[in-house]
Amino acid sequence: MWTYHNPVHTHVGRSSLNQLPALLAGRNCLLVTFPEAEGLGLVQRVRALLGSQLRGVIDSIAPNPDVQWLAPLYEMVQRDHADVPVIVALGGGSAIDSAKALLCATESGKFSELLSILKQGAQLPPAPHKHLIAIPTTAGTGSEVTPWATIWDQAAGQKYSLHQECTWPEAAVIDADLMTSLPAGATLASGLDALSHALESIWNVNCNPVSMALAVQSARRTLATLPALMRDLLNPQLRSDMAEAALLAGLAFSNTKTALAHSLSYDITLQHGVPHGIACSFSLPLVLEMALGADAVTDAALLSIFDAITPAVAVQRLQQFLQQLGVATDPAHYGIAPADWQTMVNKAASGPRGRNFIRSI
């Protein structure tokens, strides 16, 4: 038996940001976004659309939401904006993940209470949690159609996964026009994050026929689109194609979660400072080689993505794809000694995401 569930009302297309007033249906909101959004004119666009419904703007979101700055921000939102029912998150995964933390109501209004619940893996009590409308400005995070958020504690060398029923976005708006100013590095990292989401949801013990179909289509579209987009960053059609490929990957792993490559990536980001999209994708050929041979249906899907007849050809084509984009696939390139790599793989395989890998059973 299997099920597929995704409750996010998803709106896709260029200029779909204009649907935001209708999605709010008269409710007030806070805008949570990244510092450059004002200079790019994105905040002004939202203000023009919403008028007095926009009750505040938080534009201090930095990459990799960290407890040190998230805690005072959370307590300010709970104290000063308790009556605002909706958060609009505009940005990449960090903005959307931060918004998921900010929308969670605790009895005390203190971030320490939320952090304690994260550490325990417990569920929040029923409360007037805020609703979320997620509007990605990158093509890769998938956070706009999943309930998960990653919260970091850089000082302690820890990361936490936030997953509550209330952290499913109410709606997602996928407007590729918002992605045209994304620079090359962020375009590459987010696109590879999408590819990792797609592949990770295939070599996954939680895979089902719907997630498999979404993931295969996403991976094939990313392989066809990302190199062309890197050569022509202002191409609106390529931006739209990549946005849809990333969305399909998000819809796939919203049901499966990620697996070994993502489990590996967290320590690589914490210890070596490698951006998430690169940290979770450079190991994909190594993980693909491990995954092939575990299950005939999975093998067929993976081989079809790379138009390969044999596992060796599939691995080679994935490695060549990454290398042509300038992404090294040798862990040593990222400061990981060969003697340490297998230890990292073993540790990652025993983690919650690693146990989703098809070879874990």
Side-chain angles (χ1 to χ4, degrees), residues 150-284:
T150 299
I151 307 299
W152 302 83
D153 186 343
Q154 189 75 36
Q158 297 281 338
K159 77 96 188 173
Y160 306 102
S161 183
L162 172 63
H163 177 199
Q164 302 285 321
E165 189 60 34
C166 64
T167 53
W168 279 103
E170 177 180 284
V173 176
I174 316 298
D175 185 343
D177 286 346
L178 303 176
M179 305 173 188
T180 55
S181 62
L182 198 65
T187 298
L188 177 63
S190 57
L192 292 177
D193 195 16
L195 178 62
S196 183
H197 291 152
L199 295 177
E200 293 264 272
S201 65
I202 295 172
W203 55 54
N204 197 302
V205 297
N206 302 307
C207 185
N208 63 62
V210 175
S211 66
M212 175 80 80
L214 292 165
V216 169
Q217 185 180 2
S218 172
R220 291 186 66 88
R221 291 182 70 172
T222 299
L223 293 176
T225 303
L226 188 55
L229 177 57
M230 294 305 298
R231 295 189 295 267
D232 189 5
L233 292 170
L234 297 179
N235 187 305
Q237 186 58 54
L238 291 174
R239 286 287 183 189
S240 293
D241 291 347
M242 193 61 235
E244 291 188 14
L247 171 64
L248 293 172
L251 292 170
F253 92 94
S254 74
N255 274 239
T256 65
K257 304 182 182 178
T258 51
L260 182 58
H262 267 72
S263 188
L264 273 165
S265 76
Y266 301 126
D267 278 349
I268 294 168
T269 294
L270 278 168
Q271 298 172 16
H272 300 277
V274 180
H276 173 71
I278 305 301
C280 69
S281 62
F282 81 82
S283 66
L284 289 175

Side-chain angles (χ1 to χ4, degrees), residues 325-355:
L325 292 171
V327 177
T329 56
D330 184 352
H333 177 83
Y334 303 95
I336 305 167
D340 296 333
W341 176 246
Q342 191 58 51
T343 300
M344 292 188 72
V345 171
N346 292 341
K347 178 186 175 185
S350 66
R353 294 294 185 263
R355 291 194 294 272

Side-chain angles (χ1 to χ4, degrees), residues 38-60:
E38 181 77 51
L40 293 170
L42 298 177
V43 175
Q44 182 55 40
R45 284 190 63 186
V46 174
R47 283 197 182 104
L49 283 169
L50 300 184
S52 62
Q53 285 178 266
L54 182 59
R55 297 286 297 276
V57 176
I58 297 169
D59 62 0
S60 57

